[in-house]
Amino acid sequence: MAKIFTLHPDNPQNRRIEDIIVALKSGAVMLYPTDTVYAIGCDLNHKSAIGRVRQIKQLANDKPLTFLCPSLSNVATYAFVNNAAYRIMKHLIPGTYTFLLPATKLVPKLVQNPKRKTTGIRVPDNAVCLSLLEALGNPIISTSAHIPPPSDADYDEWLELETLSRVELFDRMESLVDVIIDTGKEPSYQVSTILDLTEEQPTVIRQGLGWEEVEGWI
C-alpha cells in the first residue's frame, strides 16, 4: 500500500519533501499533482523505477516518457535547444507545455524516442513539483495517471477516470505506487500542449492547456 504525504499546495513542508526524496532515491514510484494532471513519476536516474512506471502504464520500451525539469537552464542539460526553441521556451516556461527536443547523453535510453533520439520535457508551474525537483537534484518522470484497465475490468466504467475525485483516484492507484502526494486539491484532467521543437519551425503535436498563448508564437 502506498504511503500518503499531505503537502501544502503552495508552501510544501520541507520535512515531508525530504521524506519523499529519500523514497524516490530508493526507487519509489509516486502519484503526484502537476499543473495539468495527476502524474505517475520517479527519479529519472533510477532505471528499475522507470521500468515500473512503464509496467503500470503498460507502455512498450519504444514509447518515450516525459520528464520534469526545474528551469530552462536545467532543460539545456538534458536536451539540445536551438535559438528558435530557446525564444519560445523562455516565453512559456514555467507552464502547461511539453517540449519535444533532441536528447543529450544524460537522458536514459529508456526514456527517449528510440528512432528520433528525442525526449519530452516540461517545466511545471507547480510549487510541489518544483520543490521536489530542487530537493532531488534530478528530473522526475511525468506520465498521466490515466492507466489502461485490468483485463477483468469493465472498460466503459474504467474510462470514467475523468470523473474520479481525488480520494477515488488514490483508491485506484494505492496498490500500484509507493507514494501518493495529497495537496487537498481535486485532480485536473486537462493535458499539456505539446510542441515539437526539434526543427527551426516549431510544430504543435497536441493542443492542451495554454494553447491560446502558443498561437501567437507558431
Side-chain angles (χ1 to χ4, degrees), residues 24 30-45 50 65-79 89 93-99 101 107-108 111 119-144 181 192 206:
L24 291 178
M30 66 177 174
L31 176 71
Y32 66 105
T34 71
D35 53 349
T36 55
V37 299
Y38 252 86
I40 302 168
C42 65
D43 184 339
L44 177 70
N45 291 338
I50 293 174
L65 288 167
T66 294
F67 58 87
L68 307 182
C69 285
S71 65
L72 179 53
S73 60
N74 189 249
V75 169
T77 302
Y78 296 92
M89 294 172 71
I93 285 175
T96 58
Y97 305 94
T98 299
F99 305 103
L101 294 159
V107 179
V111 174
T119 192
I121 302 180
R122 294 197 59 224
V123 178
D125 188 10
N126 179 279
V128 169
C129 290
L130 294 175
S131 294
L132 290 169
L133 288 164
E134 180 180 358
L136 180 62
N138 295 325
I140 294 173
I141 294 294
S142 182
T143 180
S144 79
I181 296 178
S192 64
R206 181 179 72 193

Side-chain angles (χ1 to χ4, degrees), residues 2 36 81-82 92 128 130 135 171-172 187 202 207:
T36 55
V81 182
N82 61 37
L92 297 176
V128 169
L130 294 175
D171 285 345
R172 179 170 289 185
Q207 294 183 14

Side-chain angles (χ1 to χ4, degrees), residues 6-21:
T6 302
L7 296 180
H8 190 283
D10 301 316
N11 297 291
Q13 301 90 323
N14 288 336
R15 180 59 184 272
R16 294 177 186 174
I17 290 290
E18 291 171 2
D19 289 341
I20 295 168
I21 295 307

Side-chain angles (χ1 to χ4, degrees), residues 54-70:
R54 287 193 174 281
Q55 185 178 31
I56 292 169
K57 288 280 291 186
Q58 298 182 31
L59 292 175
N61 286 338
D62 61 349
K63 299 295 182 182
L65 288 167
T66 294
F67 58 87
L68 307 182
C69 285

